Amino acid sequence: MSPAVLQVRDLRVSYRVRERGRHVRLRAVDGVSFTLAAGETLGIAGESGSGKSTLARALLRLVPADGGVVQFAGRSLLELGAGELRALRPRLQMIFQDPFASLDPHMRIGEIIAEPLQVMRLELDAAARDARVLAMMSRCGLTAGYAARYPHECSGGEAQRVGIARALVVEPEVLVCDEPISSLDASIRSQIANLLKDLQQQMRLSLLFIAHDLAAMRFSCDRVLVLYLGRVMEVATRDALFSAPRHPYTQALLQAVPIPDPRTTRARPRLRLEGEIPSPLSPPSGCVFRTRCPHAIERCAHEVPALRTVGASLVACHRAEELP
Ligand code: ATP
Ligand code: MG
């Protein structure tokens, strides 16, 4: 495998929230570890509330972490001072689920894409900046005429192209995509997914690709990490995950994914996900998934399963070896 560009160890993030008149900590990300290899696309899947966005934001230091280590470019990201962080910013960029919410409605598209260059690439003069903006727009499928438009004059797909151009104009090494296609019409999702894939190859990007469901990941991702209540349930290559999911939660998520070739997935166990994700304010003891898991046993209530190698996957389930 290629060398790791990003190494995350035991990352923990919580929010201070009010619950029945008093302040409590809500653990949104609870001890997450993974690596992102150079040029790789790692998917992060999980239901709403599993901590995907919090994880993404903590990696970019948009929310503070309680603990853990994030290594990027030989540096410990969580320990950097404001100046050092600013210097690293261009190398680590993010795009968001709702493109309109992340674009300033009062700025023209050309200005929106140029802004990160003005802040992060001070050595460029106006002409060089304009040239880069136009080149990046073109790579993202936006003709020069869009530069004078405002966000409200764009479709959802176009606005997401603007978001992508803005993130990539500073030529980052790592791009974190927080549900980049889920707010778009089904008809343009594949266009944007294709665009991201092309740009990744052309620019040799390492991508974190966040999504609710696993369907989008079959096309986009080399490996997938499955998150539940802020904890990692399984990490596997795309092929291993789709053909032989190990964790009962992964198996349940896969039920929502259409099977393109029934022969390869014939052995996929069937498991329906009942009920809702428990509140992270009072997560179940032991394995956090046990309250919805049909395979749960006594031990699951007492002991947090460690993430360990089972077959070709990393799995946090006490019963991973014995289950189908
Ligand atoms: P979705 O798929 O809906 O985007 P997610 O997996 O991205 O969900 P997060 O947004 O990271 O999940 O939220 C994880 C948990 O943290 C949830 O319980 C959420 O309510 C809580 N949370 C998120 N942001 C905040 C905040 N700013 N203050 C308090 N709690 C928050
Ligand atoms: Mg989210």
Side-chain angles (χ1 to χ4, degrees), residues 14-17 26-29 46-57 63 97 178-179 210-212 227 229-230 278-281:
S14 64
Y15 297 105
R16 189 163 175 259
V17 295
L26 180 154
R27 293 182 181 196
V29 172
E47 283 166 285
S48 185
S50 54
K52 305 180 298 296
S53 296
T54 302
L55 171 61
R57 286 167 194 272
V63 295
Q97 172 169 0
D178 190 358
E179 309 219 31
I210 296 172
H212 258 81
L227 208 57
L229 271 184
S279 165
L281 285 171

Side-chain angles (χ1 to χ4, degrees), residues 32-289:
V32 167
S33 303
F34 65 89
T35 58
L36 178 67
E40 172 185 50
T41 299
L42 175 67
I44 298 186
E47 283 166 285
S48 185
S50 54
K52 305 180 298 296
S53 296
T54 302
L55 171 61
R57 286 167 194 272
L59 293 178
L60 278 90
R61 298 244 331 237
L62 301 175
V63 295
D66 297 337
V69 180
V70 179
Q71 287 279 340
F72 173 67
R75 313 295 301 278
S76 186
L77 256 191
L78 302 183
E79 290 169 14
L80 296 183
E84 292 174 298
L85 191 60
R86 214 172 305 122
L88 273 186
R89 267 276 178 259
R91 302 172 65 177
L92 196 66
Q93 289 285 301
M94 182 159 174
I95 55 175
F96 300 89
Q97 172 169 0
D98 180 351
F100 291 108
S102 57
L103 305 178
D104 185 336
H106 306 297
M107 286 169 76
R108 294 178 191 275
I109 301 305
E111 295 165 342
I112 289 173
I113 300 172
E115 190 182 44
L117 290 175
Q118 281 170 322
V119 178
M120 298 185 232
R121 292 270 192 262
L122 300 173
E123 73 281 9
L124 297 177
D125 62 18
R129 226 168 26 230
D130 288 350
R132 287 211 188 191
V133 169
L134 284 176
M136 199 63 231
M137 285 176 63
S138 162
R139 290 177 94 164
C140 291
L142 296 164
T143 54
Y146 280 88
R149 291 198 195 186
Y150 287 95
H152 75 267
E153 296 169 312
C154 294
S155 70
E158 288 161 355
Q160 195 54 293
R161 288 175 193 271
V162 174
I164 294 169
R166 178 181 158 91
L168 295 186
V169 76
V170 291
E171 297 177 338
E173 289 146 65
V174 172
L175 180 65
V176 177
C177 309
D178 190 358
E179 309 219 31
I181 58 174
S182 37
S183 74
L184 304 174
D185 274 3
S187 59
I188 41 178
R189 279 188 197 157
S190 60
Q191 285 178 21
I192 299 296
N194 271 315
L195 173 67
L196 278 171
K197 202 169 186 174
D198 290 346
L199 288 168
Q200 182 203 18
Q201 279 160 10
Q202 291 163 18
M203 299 178 73
R204 288 193 289 278
L205 290 164
S206 308
L207 235 64
L208 277 184
F209 188 98
I210 296 172
H212 258 81
D213 63 86
L214 289 165
M217 303 210 166
R218 187 197 287 279
F219 171 75
S220 300
C221 299
D222 302 304
R223 282 190 308 142
V224 178
L225 179 154
V226 179
L227 208 57
Y228 184 80
L229 271 184
R231 301 201 193 157
V232 179
M233 299 290 110
E234 180 161 3
V235 188
T237 62
R238 176 190 50 190
D239 290 346
L241 192 105
F242 279 91
S243 61
R246 296 277 180 174
H247 198 287
Y249 183 54
T250 315
Q251 294 173 1
L253 285 183
L254 273 173
Q255 289 309 308
V257 179
I259 299 176
D261 180 0
R263 278 167 308 166
T264 57
T265 34
R266 195 173 35 199
R268 187 194 281 176
R270 303 195 69 81
L271 196 155
R272 188 182 297 281
L273 198 54
E274 307 280 356
E276 292 198 355
I277 188 166
S279 165
L281 285 171
S282 49
S285 61
C287 172
V288 284
F289 185 59

